[in-house]
Amino acid sequence: VVAPDHPLRAAVGRYIMLPCHLSPGVDARTFEVRWIRHRVSETVHHYRNGEDLSGDQMEEYVGRTAL
């Protein structure tokens, strides 16, 4: 996974895109992607086999993230 090597800034209440990509480029539709804060139990976004999974997502992020 390739992502920016510098901090990204966002204003409170505004949208921000956190860019990243796979290198070499591959089809990731069958991958599992889990964005966590500090521990696996702190799930911000969870994606697996082509669908977003919200069952273990932290309440404050429901409806606020997309992949």
Side-chain angles (χ1 to χ4, degrees):
V1 175
V2 179
D5 61 355
H6 59 279
L8 300 173
R9 295 177 186 250
V12 173
R14 304 293 301 206
Y15 288 96
I16 184 170
M17 182 177 291
L18 305 175
C20 69
H21 67 274
L22 298 173
S23 180
V26 295
D27 184 350
R29 287 180 284 188
T30 61
F31 285 18
E32 179 172 7
V33 178
R34 187 183 297 254
W35 173 16
I36 62 172
R37 286 185 16 174
H38 302 288
R39 296 182 294 278
V40 172
S41 63
E42 296 179 324
T43 300
V44 175
H45 195 92
H46 191 186
Y47 171 93
R48 183 174 54 215
N49 292 326
E51 63 181 298
D52 296 312
L53 305 172
S54 60
D56 57 352
Q57 188 176 33
M58 295 175 67
E59 186 176 326
E60 56 264 44
Y61 294 103
V62 172
R64 296 180 55 212
T65 65
L67 179 67

